[in-house]
Amino acid sequence: MYIIVSPRLGTPGDKFEPADGINVQALIDGGLISTDKPKKSSKVKEEPVEE
Amino acid sequence: MPTSVYLSNPSVTINSVDLSDQCTAATITYSVEALENTAFGSTARTYTGGLANNSVTVTLYQSYAGSETEVSIYSLVGTTTTLVLKPASGAVSSTNPSYTLATAYLESHTPINASLGELSTIDLTFTGGTLTKATS
């Protein structure tokens, strides 16, 4: 999922859905959009129980 | 009655980035290569259509500020992208058609193109790709 940073692409903060043929990496490199990486789960693995 | 076109507010979008307010010239060349098929018995040369060979040339003011020309263009060199051009910024219609050049290749860019006492501009040529025209 990509988020608009530059007003030249739309409203900053809105989700950006690239059309076919759009060079997404160039937009990221230029700081025009950002990637919204999914947050990692806060789940902590339990230690294995030794018998 | 003949009419003339006066372009004061065209729309130029490169890789989804609206750079209309940095653009001073734009040219779309819609071309299909002519393949000669003249043969014995012909009295004049004749041709048939070959591959499309389209291009878009734009002139932009250079700007190194955030969200402006340089950051929008620099990473496109050596790659393909999509450009959308319209005669006016309003809605697409039969009198304001939209031209989309998809999979257009940008071979080169001049990050610095400056002369003393003049605003810096860059000329870009996007070549190849498929051109489509939309009227709605």
Side-chain angles (χ1 to χ4, degrees):
Chain A
M1 181 175 162
Y2 304 105
I3 303 296
I4 295 172
V5 174
S6 167
R8 290 186 180 277
L9 282 92
T11 304
D14 282 1
K15 186 178 174 183
F16 177 70
E17 294 182 359
D20 286 345
I22 295 302
N23 188 330
V24 172
Q25 191 57 50
L27 295 173
I28 294 171
D29 291 347
L32 300 158
I33 61 171
S34 65
T35 54
D36 184 25
K37 294 178 182 175
K39 293 177 182 174
K40 289 184 178 176
S41 167
S42 59
K43 188 177 177 182
V44 178
K45 284 186 179 176
E46 294 177 2
E47 287 187 16
V49 179
E50 292 183 15
E51 294 181 0
Chain B
M1 177 180 165
T3 60
S4 298
V5 174
Y6 168 64
L7 293 178
S8 65
N9 192 24
S11 170
V12 176
T13 303
I14 301 172
N15 198 39
S16 289
V17 181
D18 186 350
L19 291 169
S20 303
D21 66 351
Q22 296 283 22
C23 188
T24 61
T27 302
I28 301 172
T29 302
Y30 175 37
S31 171
V32 177
E33 292 174 349
L35 303 179
E36 184 168 354
N37 59 1
T38 314
F40 289 158
S42 299
T43 57
R45 293 193 183 278
T46 56
Y47 298 87
T48 187
L51 296 173
N53 189 13
N54 306 305
S55 66
V56 167
T57 302
V58 294
T59 300
L60 303 168
Y61 286 118
Q62 177 60 294
S63 173
Y64 304 101
S67 293
E68 297 295 341
T69 310
E70 178 64 8
V71 294
S72 302
I73 299 301
Y74 187 81
S75 296
L76 292 177
V77 176
T79 70
T80 59
T81 188
T82 298
L83 296 90
V84 181
L85 287 84
K86 294 186 294 179
S89 59
V92 175
S93 67
S94 60
T95 57
N96 188 34
S98 167
Y99 297 90
T100 301
L101 184 62
T103 327
Y105 180 76
L106 179 61
E107 182 179 14
S108 65
H109 162 47
T110 51
I112 293 180
N113 181 28
S115 298
L116 179 65
E118 294 179 0
L119 288 176
S120 177
T121 61
I122 57 172
D123 294 314
L124 302 173
T125 301
F126 295 84
T127 54
T130 306
L131 184 69
T132 54
K133 178 182 177 181
T135 55
S136 61

